[in-house]
Amino acid sequence: MGAAGAGMDAVAGERRQLINVAYRLLGSLAEAEDAVQEAYTRWYALPRSRRDEILSPGGWLTTVTGRICLDVLGSARARRERYVGAWLPDPLPDRAEWGLVSEGGGPADPADQMVVDESVAMALLVVLESMTPAERVAFVLHDVFRYPFAEIAAVLGRTPAACKQLAASARRRVRDAPGPAAVAGDGRAEAVRRVKEAWERKDIAALVDLLDPAAVMTADGGGLVGTVLRPIEGGARIAQYMVAIADRAPGLELLERSVNGTPGLVARRGGTVMTVASFDVDGDGLITRIWAVRNPEKLRPWLRDG
C-alpha cells in the first residue's frame, strides 16, 4: 500500500473516536454522525497539497468536528424549546446483548462504534445538557478525552486559560448535580430487577417501596408517541403511572438490558421496542431517577433486535 493509501486509512480510522466525541458533545447519535460526516467532507474538500501539510489529520478532524458540534449546540437551545415535552439524550444499547455486533469491514451504524463508559451515563449526559455550549465542549474534550487546553482553544476560539476556566465551571456543575450513588453494579441490577418484577405484577405498593419518595421520572416521546410532557415527581405518583401504562399496553414484555452502560429496562410489544428506561439508584437501593425514552427516532439502534 502506498503512502497515500496508508494516509487515507489513518484518516478513516479516526471515525470511531470522532463519533464518540460528537455523541458526548451532542447527546444524539444522528447529530453526531452528521457532524462527523461534515468534518470528513471538509477534509476531502481541501486541496491535496493542503492535506499533505497537516501533520495530524486526526487533530484537524477533531478540531473541525468540535467546531461543528459547537455550532449545533448553539442552535440546539432553540430546537429544544420547540421540542414537544422533555428532551433526553439518545439511549445507547449494548449491541452484544442483542447479538448485533458487526463483524469485519467497519460498522456503519454509529451505535456500533460507541465506547460505553461512565462518560455516557444518562445522569451525566443530562447534566451536560445544562451547560453552555462552550462549557460542554471544554469539559468533554478535556475531562473525558484528555485533550490539552491548547487544542481546545483552537476549537472554541478562546485562550487556553479561558478554556481552563470553562472546564472548571462545567466541573462544578457536575459536582453540584445530584450524582449517582456509589452502588455496585450488582446492586443496581438487583434494584432494576425488582422494579421489573413489581411492574410486571402491576403491584403499586411494591413499586412505591422500591422508589425514593422524592423520585423523579422524565419521559421523552418527542410528540411522536403519547407520554407525559412534564416530569412526574414522587414515588407514589410514578408507581401509579407505571401501572397505568401496563394496564393500557397488554402484552408488554420487559427485558433487563444495559442502557448507556448501566442496568436498565427495555419495554417491547409485538417484538418492537417501545420504551428504553435508565435508572439512578441511591445507596439504599432505591430508585431516585427514571429516564424513559419513547421517541421512536431515538430508538432506531434498538429496533434491529433480530
Side-chain angles (χ1 to χ4, degrees):
M1 181 184 293
M8 289 181 68
D9 282 351
V11 168
E14 296 291 332
R15 179 178 175 80
R16 179 184 176 91
Q17 171 81 347
L18 296 173
I19 286 284
N20 275 275
V21 169
Y23 170 76
R24 287 160 176 81
L25 287 176
L26 301 175
S28 162
L29 282 169
E31 289 180 348
E33 188 173 32
D34 288 346
V36 172
Q37 188 58 44
E38 174 62 22
Y40 273 104
T41 297
R42 295 184 189 182
W43 168 261
Y44 287 112
L46 293 173
R48 175 66 182 273
S49 59
R50 175 73 184 97
R51 294 204 302 267
D52 289 343
E53 292 171 355
I54 296 171
L55 299 179
S56 172
W60 189 95
L61 284 164
T62 300
T63 298
V64 172
T65 299
R67 288 173 179 165
I68 293 167
C69 289
L70 188 65
D71 289 342
V72 172
L73 287 169
S75 63
R77 300 260 163 141
R79 285 186 285 115
R80 300 280 196 274
E81 289 173 4
R82 295 193 301 270
Y83 196 82
V84 178
W87 187 95
L88 291 174
D90 291 6
L92 289 177
D94 179 339
R95 308 287 279 171
E97 288 184 341
W98 300 94
L100 288 172
V101 177
S102 299
E103 296 179 0
D109 193 308
D112 289 333
Q113 303 183 60
M114 294 305 303
V115 175
V116 178
D117 57 24
E118 64 274 6
S119 69
V120 296
M122 190 63 72
L124 177 58
L125 292 176
V126 169
V127 176
L128 293 180
E129 280 295 308
S130 71
M131 297 179 182
T132 68
E135 283 176 337
R136 186 167 185 170
V137 170
F139 177 83
V140 168
L141 290 183
H142 182 266
D143 285 44
V144 178
F145 290 98
R146 302 302 176 191
Y147 286 99
F149 286 116
E151 292 183 22
I152 298 169
V155 176
L156 293 176
R158 307 191 188 198
T159 65
C163 294
K164 190 173 184 178
Q165 288 297 317
L166 286 166
S169 174
R171 220 171 286 127
R172 282 193 297 272
R173 289 185 190 254
V174 173
R175 191 169 57 243
D176 293 344
V183 181
D186 289 349
R188 288 180 180 276
E190 181 61 25
V192 171
R193 181 172 301 118
R194 288 176 179 172
V195 168
K196 170 184 178 288
E197 292 168 352
W199 197 358
E200 287 173 331
R201 296 194 308 269
K202 303 181 186 179
D203 188 336
I204 291 179
L207 285 169
V208 169
D209 286 343
L210 295 168
L211 294 163
D212 185 285
V216 179
M217 177 181 186
T218 304
D220 176 349
L224 300 177
V225 294
T227 193
V228 288
L229 299 181
R230 298 177 185 278
I232 301 175
E233 299 181 1
R237 293 186 62 207
I238 294 170
Q240 291 166 353
Y241 177 73
M242 291 173 72
V243 170
I245 290 174
D247 283 338
R248 290 199 302 269
L252 198 66
E253 177 189 16
L254 297 177
L255 306 171
E256 295 174 53
R257 291 288 186 269
S258 171
V259 182
N260 288 67
T262 60
L265 291 178
V266 172
R268 194 163 62 171
R269 192 178 184 192
T272 299
V273 172
M274 310 295 289
T275 304
V276 173
S278 52
F279 301 82
D280 243 1
V281 182
D282 70 12
D284 295 321
L286 295 177
I287 304 294
T288 58
R289 291 296 307 259
I290 303 174
W291 296 280
V293 178
R294 301 202 66 230
N295 182 341
E297 292 183 349
K298 298 184 178 187
L299 298 181
R300 286 173 183 163
W302 299 81
L303 299 181
R304 295 174 295 140
D305 55 12

